[in-house]
Amino acid sequence: MGSPERELCPPPSEEDELTLPRASINKMIKELVPSVRVAFESRELILNCCTEFIHLISSEANEVCNQSNKKTINAEHVLTALDRLGFSDYTVEAEAVLKDCKAVAAKRRRQSTRLENLGIPEEELLRQQQELFAKAREEQAKQDQQQWLLLQQHGLVGMEGPPPSYIPPPPGTKQDDTEDDDYS
């Protein structure tokens, strides 16, 4: 017979059963061992182990955070948790990943402020963009008109308009003779 506390606990909810995305785990497995087939049950076991590992590290990092009287778990808390749990071999690689993450975040911040540093309001940038699009459409229309006139000069089009994908050969080149061949 279970303890009274155990009976009062509700059954596990969906929130208690959070896992990593299966697609991500499958991709990592395929990248790490591309020539090995991994059974479904093994993939599920790996998924559960990864989820449990993250839960273990997160719980310990939370404990470190609480002991430091902080409200937010930071990278140092996670690194300390790895060390406390006996995973100190992972700290060097974890620190390298942290450094890479910080570099990517800094790059994103620089890129997002680049427009702000121009000193041009977003509305003005949008207006300039629309102006450039209009100019490009105008240039394309001129090129289409020039191609149409060239086709008319060669007598290759009727009044209904040019064939959609026909590009005439440059002047002075011999045209293909296949139209003149008699196949009867």
Side-chain angles (χ1 to χ4, degrees):
M1 188 170 209
S3 68
E5 291 175 29
R6 194 62 133 156
E7 292 174 1
L8 296 176
C9 292
S13 66
E14 288 180 32
E15 188 175 279
D16 293 334
E17 298 177 14
L18 294 176
T19 62
L20 297 169
R22 281 179 173 73
S24 298
I25 297 298
N26 290 337
K27 183 179 177 187
M28 284 190 278
I29 292 170
K30 190 169 279 199
E31 287 175 3
L32 294 171
V33 285
S35 60
V36 177
R37 290 184 57 191
V38 180
F40 176 78
E41 295 83 14
S42 298
R43 289 177 187 272
E44 286 297 308
L45 178 61
I46 292 169
L47 176 69
N48 290 333
C49 289
C50 291
T51 302
E52 186 60 32
F53 180 76
I54 291 170
H55 184 268
L56 179 68
I57 299 298
S58 300
S59 296
E60 187 65 26
N62 186 48
E63 185 65 31
V64 172
C65 179
N66 288 337
Q67 290 171 356
S68 302
N69 295 320
K70 302 287 182 182
K71 293 187 178 189
T72 304
I73 298 173
N74 64 36
E76 287 303 317
H77 299 142
V78 175
L79 294 171
T80 302
L82 283 171
D83 193 45
R84 280 188 184 181
L85 293 169
F87 296 109
S88 55
D89 293 347
Y90 293 107
T91 55
V92 172
E93 192 168 337
E95 287 171 343
V97 169
L98 176 61
K99 183 180 175 185
D100 290 346
C101 287
K102 285 182 178 183
V104 168
K107 184 177 179 183
R108 283 186 185 151
R109 280 193 300 273
R110 283 192 305 274
Q111 287 176 341
S112 69
T113 60
R114 196 173 290 163
L115 280 178
E116 296 164 3
N117 291 340
L118 286 175
I120 302 173
E122 190 174 339
E123 296 80 20
E124 174 62 17
L125 290 171
L126 184 60
R127 187 196 63 74
Q128 289 177 9
Q129 181 184 40
Q130 294 301 324
E131 192 176 290
L132 288 170
F133 285 156
K135 189 175 180 180
R137 282 191 294 272
E138 187 178 307
E139 287 295 319
Q140 184 64 46
K142 284 181 184 177
Q143 288 176 359
D144 290 347
Q145 181 66 26
Q146 288 173 348
Q147 186 178 18
W148 170 246
L149 291 173
L150 185 62
L151 289 171
Q152 280 185 326
Q153 287 173 354
H154 289 325
L156 298 172
V157 292
M159 294 306 288
E160 72 280 353
S165 63
Y166 179 78
I167 298 173
T173 60
K174 185 176 178 189
Q175 296 226 356
D176 190 73
D177 294 332
T178 55
E179 293 180 23
D180 297 333
D181 291 339
D182 187 20
Y183 292 106
S184 46

